[in-house]
């Protein structure tokens, strides 16, 4: 971050602020002062409007507010409506309650994939499946006749219907990944099965296409060693080495003094993030951000489809790599995943009564899908630019209703609901809610209703994520191993959140999240997050309009209005 934007001063803001550290003034009259800023109409601006005005002047490089304007499928576009090419009933599926339809579903998906894509239609009825359904092909959609009309009843957990996934301590990986409907490349699945997951959850990256030069956060152009192997329109992975001095991690934490190695012992407190060791954490040895190449400018410069989310500095070698085996432009629509009702287990011992998982894929979607009786409802594992819309988690208590992990970026969860559980969380178990973790960035949850759960920022330094325009009771718990690193990186936004249960736990995060914003949290008894800060000293964060609905009601919608 440029140092001229990094100087912050402590001020009081109008509009219901409790205590705040004002963002730097990027233009005259920007956020704070003795008098409120005024719009061209002469009306006073509330803090949310002033902050958005600030952000709009340099959208990708504001010091506190994430740029989430390009979250979701194809940078926020609507998924296409594809034509039906086959039906599961054409391959032997029967909605009779006794026929195991999993082979027919997988055969239908293969048939659609091998002909180049299209919709696999699941007619009205309830279909019994004893094992998961895999979508291994791009441009393939599994579509029901309606969320209440088409039900996929999974009679066995992933432990039983697919394979066990136990760690040496007895924990199950199905507690946080895997789905009864599972999107991932066939090569990704084969590698995971052959190596029993060790270090194989993320992308299977291909060749280095070009070395990347120095660049600043917010920059759209990227200097490269050569463009001969790059093409406009390609999705590539910008990979940046995570050096042992943790200087890159410090940067992702906002470059605040408390995040520097002398104050925060990265090798001891976050060994996986520094070394990439620890089994499934090997991916953290490098920072990996998939991004599309928008244009080629000569033989030494490319234009990206999104602005950079962090600096590229000489001490952090970076490169553009081929994304490797993946799938894209596939989805699931208009159906219910109903797991057999089995009791929720102790924390992290879950056998995999899961819903939908997107793993190492990009530009996919789930629309009008309900998941019942789950351990994990909807999961992103190294997923990019995927949209979930009109999705619901219900039935008995869950572990993760929504999980976003292992460097998942720019995903959008829109118009979602977590219903009141029909069976409560048992003793020894935990429900989290909206999980984000593991160097994930650019992810958005908006227009949500949560009868269960909290805003679960789950360690391993997620940064630049937002939860906005959400109503919740707020009764879940934050999780994550301390050995995985800090709860928060920089630029986490909690914006216009309505709390019906009174607790500010994990919502008002100015006391724990570096260089972040908490705007318009309503209905809480106080402002303490009740979380233990990872960093000492001034976090340079902002808390404004506590108890007051902000004029800017939805940060994602407002940013898109300013950038369209």
């Amino acid at each position: 971050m440029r140092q001229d934007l990094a100087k912050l001063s402590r001020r009081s803001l109008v509009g219901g602020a409790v205590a705040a550290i004002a963002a730097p003034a990027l233009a005259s009259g920007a956020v704070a002062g003795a008098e409120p800023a005024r719009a061209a109409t002469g009306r006073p601006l509330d803090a949310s409007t002033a902050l958005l005005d600030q952000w709009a002047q340099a959208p990708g490089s504001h010091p506190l507010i994430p740029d989430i304007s390009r979250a979701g499928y194809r940078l926020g576009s609507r998924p296409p409506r594809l034509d039906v090419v086959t039906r599961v009933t054409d391959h032997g599926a029967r909605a009779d309650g006794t026929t195991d339809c999993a082979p027919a579903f997988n055969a239908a998906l293969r048939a659609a994939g091998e002909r180049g894509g299209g919709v696999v239609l699941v007619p009205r009825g309830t279909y019994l499946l004893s094992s998961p359904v895999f979508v291994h092909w791009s441009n393939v959609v599994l579509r029901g006749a309606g969320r209440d009309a088409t039900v996929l009843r999974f009679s066995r957990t992933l432990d039983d219907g697919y394979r066990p996934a136990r760690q040496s301590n007895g924990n199950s990986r199905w507690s946080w990944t895997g789905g009864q409907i599972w999107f991932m490349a066939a090569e990704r699945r084969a590698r995971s099965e052959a190596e029993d997951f060790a270090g194989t959850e993320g992308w299977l990256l291909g060749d280095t296409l070009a070395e990347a030069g120095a660049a600043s956060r917010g920059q759209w152009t990227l200097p490269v060693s050569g463009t001969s192997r790059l093409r406009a329109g390609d999705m590539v992975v910008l990979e940046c080495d995570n050096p042992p001095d943790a200087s890159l991690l410090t940067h992702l934490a906002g470059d605040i003094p408390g995040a520097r190695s002398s104050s925060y012992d990265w090798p001891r407190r976050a060994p996986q993030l520094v070394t990439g060791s620890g089994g499934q954490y090997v991916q953290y040895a490098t920072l990996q951000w998939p991004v599309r190449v928008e244009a080629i400018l000569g033989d030494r410069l490319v234009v990206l489809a999104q602005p950079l989310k962090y600096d590229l500095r000489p001490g952090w070698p970076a490169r553009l790599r081929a994304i490797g085996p993946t799938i894209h432009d596939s989805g699931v629509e208009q159906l219910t995943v109903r797991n057999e009702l089995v009791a929720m287990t102790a924390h992290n011992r879950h056998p995999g009564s899961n819903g939908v998982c997107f793993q190492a894929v990009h530009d996919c979607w789930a629309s009008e899908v309900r998941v019942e009786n789950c351990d994990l409802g909807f999961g992103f594992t190294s997923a990019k630019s995927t949209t979930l819309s009109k999705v619901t988690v219900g039935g008995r208590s869950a572990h993760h209703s929504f999980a976003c992990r292992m460097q998942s970026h720019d995903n959008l969860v829109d118009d979602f609901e977590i219903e009141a559980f029909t069976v409560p969380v048992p003793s020894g178990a935990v429900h989290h809610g909206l999980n984000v973790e593991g160097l994930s960035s650019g992810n958005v949850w908006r227009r949500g209703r949560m009868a269960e759960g909290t805003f679960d920022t789950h360690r391993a330094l997620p940064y630049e994520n937002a939860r906005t325009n959400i109503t919740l009771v707020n009764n879940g718990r934050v999780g994550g191993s301390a050995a995985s690193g800090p709860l928060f990186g920089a630029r986490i936004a909690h914006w216009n959140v309505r709390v019906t249960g009174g607790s500010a736990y994990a919502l008002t995060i100015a006391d724990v999240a570096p260089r972040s914003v908490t705007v318009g949290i309503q209905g809480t008894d106080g402002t303490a997050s009740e979380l233990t800060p990872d960093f000492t000293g001034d976090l340079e964060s902002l808390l404004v309009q506590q108890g007051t609905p902000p004029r800017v009601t939805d940060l994602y919608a407002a940013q898109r209005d300013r950038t369209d």
Side-chain angles (χ1 to χ4, degrees):
M1 181 182 301
R2 298 176 184 174
Q3 292 306 305
D4 62 333
L5 297 183
K7 187 176 180 180
L8 297 160
S9 59
R10 192 174 297 275
R11 301 176 182 176
S12 295
L13 296 184
V14 298
V18 176
I21 308 164
L26 301 182
S28 175
V31 171
E35 298 294 333
R38 292 181 180 273
T41 60
R43 294 176 57 201
L45 296 177
D46 72 347
S48 68
T49 306
L51 282 168
L52 184 66
D53 287 347
Q54 259 194 350
W55 171 86
Q57 296 178 52
S61 57
H62 192 282
L64 306 183
I65 301 174
D67 182 356
I68 55 172
S69 61
R70 295 162 188 84
Y73 172 82
R74 297 281 172 178
L75 305 181
S77 300
R78 288 178 177 268
R81 189 73 174 175
L82 302 182
D83 294 331
V84 174
V85 296
T86 190
R87 292 168 170 77
V88 294
T89 49
D90 297 336
H91 300 265
R94 298 290 180 267
D96 57 13
T98 58
T99 300
D100 180 8
C101 297
F105 273 65
N106 284 305
L109 290 164
R110 174 179 290 277
E114 291 180 346
R115 65 177 292 168
V119 170
V120 174
L121 187 64
V122 189
R124 176 183 295 270
T126 297
Y127 298 82
L128 176 69
L129 297 96
S130 66
S131 56
V133 171
F134 291 96
V135 183
H136 291 321
W137 300 270
S138 296
N139 304 299
V140 171
V141 177
L142 184 67
R143 180 187 297 160
R147 199 173 71 172
D148 297 326
T150 298
V151 176
L152 278 54
R153 184 168 71 84
F154 287 90
S155 61
R156 301 166 71 185
T157 65
L158 292 176
D159 254 356
D160 296 332
Y162 178 37
R163 64 190 181 103
R166 299 286 164 174
Q167 297 175 309
S168 59
N169 61 3
N171 287 346
S172 170
R173 289 187 173 90
W174 304 142
S175 296
W176 52 79
T177 194
Q180 300 284 27
I181 300 176
W182 202 336
F183 292 79
M184 66 173 166
E187 297 91 337
R188 167 76 286 160
R189 176 183 172 187
R191 178 83 171 270
S192 295
E193 291 175 353
E195 299 186 12
D196 193 28
F197 288 93
T200 63
E201 285 192 277
W203 305 97
L204 294 174
L205 296 182
D207 294 342
T208 295
L209 305 175
E211 302 294 334
S216 298
R217 177 175 167 262
Q219 190 169 312
W220 291 77
T221 55
L222 180 65
V224 294
S225 58
T227 59
S228 62
R229 303 185 67 187
L230 298 168
R231 295 184 304 173
D234 281 356
M235 182 72 78
V236 298
V237 174
L238 176 60
E239 183 180 55
C240 188
D241 290 348
N242 189 357
D245 66 3
S247 53
L248 175 57
L249 302 178
T250 299
H251 175 57
L252 297 182
D255 287 314
I256 60 169
R260 295 173 188 153
S261 296
S262 59
S263 301
Y264 184 84
D265 187 353
W266 292 95
R268 181 177 63 85
R269 297 186 64 185
Q272 293 92 345
L273 289 173
V274 175
T275 66
S277 63
Q280 72 269 31
Y281 297 111
V282 67
Q283 290 91 336
Y284 296 151
T286 61
L287 190 62
Q288 297 174 354
W289 181 50
V291 62
R292 198 174 300 280
V293 176
E294 185 74 14
I296 308 293
L297 301 180
D299 58 2
R300 290 290 186 272
L301 197 66
V302 298
V303 180
L304 304 177
Q306 300 172 253
L308 288 170
K309 295 181 182 293
Y310 42 83
D311 290 353
L312 298 178
R313 299 177 183 172
W316 309 334
R319 62 208 65 87
L320 294 178
R321 294 185 63 180
I323 199 167
T326 186
I327 67 170
H328 56 83
D329 294 279
S330 293
V332 55
E333 303 170 346
Q334 301 174 16
L335 55 78
T336 288
V337 173
R338 178 173 295 156
N339 288 287
E340 197 75 20
L341 181 58
V342 296
M344 186 179 183
T345 67
H347 191 224
N348 287 338
R349 301 303 174 101
H350 310 93
S353 295
N354 292 357
V356 182
C357 182
F358 297 91
Q359 182 170 348
V361 302
H362 67 89
D363 294 298
C364 292
W365 69 88
S367 177
E368 298 183 59
V369 174
R370 175 184 174 85
V371 175
E372 297 178 358
N373 306 327
C374 60
D375 298 323
L376 167 64
F378 295 88
F380 299 128
T381 296
S382 301
K384 164 76 175 184
S385 296
T386 290
T387 294
L388 311 182
S389 62
K390 298 181 181 179
V391 294
T392 301
V393 175
R396 62 95 160 153
S397 55
H399 176 219
H400 286 297
S401 290
F402 296 89
C404 181
R405 52 186 301 275
M406 299 305 290
Q407 304 206 53
S408 287
H409 304 288
D410 304 308
N411 301 292
L412 172 64
V413 183
D414 184 14
D415 193 7
F416 67 93
E417 183 172 11
I418 304 175
E419 297 176 346
F421 293 144
T422 57
V423 180
V425 179
S427 176
V430 176
H431 175 239
H432 297 297
L434 305 185
N435 159 286
V436 62
E437 61 179 271
L439 296 174
S440 296
S441 72
N443 302 290
V444 180
W445 293 260
R446 68 182 290 252
R447 298 197 300 179
R449 302 158 300 283
M450 299 171 57
E452 307 281 354
T454 190
F455 292 179
D456 171 38
T457 307
H458 207 89
R459 294 199 176 273
L461 202 68
Y463 62 99
E464 295 228 8
N465 302 286
R467 297 149 173 136
T468 181
N469 195 11
I470 295 171
T471 300
L472 75 164
V473 176
N474 200 25
N475 59 2
R477 303 303 296 176
V478 166
S481 167
S484 296
L487 283 166
F488 297 90
R491 291 172 292 280
I492 304 293
H494 290 175
W495 191 293
N496 188 26
V497 178
R498 300 163 294 275
V499 183
T500 62
S503 173
Y505 171 81
L507 305 184
T508 50
I509 54 174
D511 60 354
V512 67
R515 287 188 172 241
S516 295
V517 292
T518 305
V519 178
I521 309 297
Q522 305 143 57
T524 65
D525 299 328
T527 61
S529 71
E530 301 179 37
L531 303 175
T532 302
D534 292 290
F535 308 121
T536 59
D538 190 349
L539 299 178
E540 302 179 359
S541 285
L542 182 67
L543 172 67
V544 293
Q545 295 185 253
Q546 181 69 17
T548 303
R551 192 170 296 165
V552 177
T553 59
D554 189 305
L555 181 60
Y556 175 77
Q559 286 194 358
R560 288 190 62 80
D561 285 345
R562 294 295 186 97
T563 56
D564 285 347

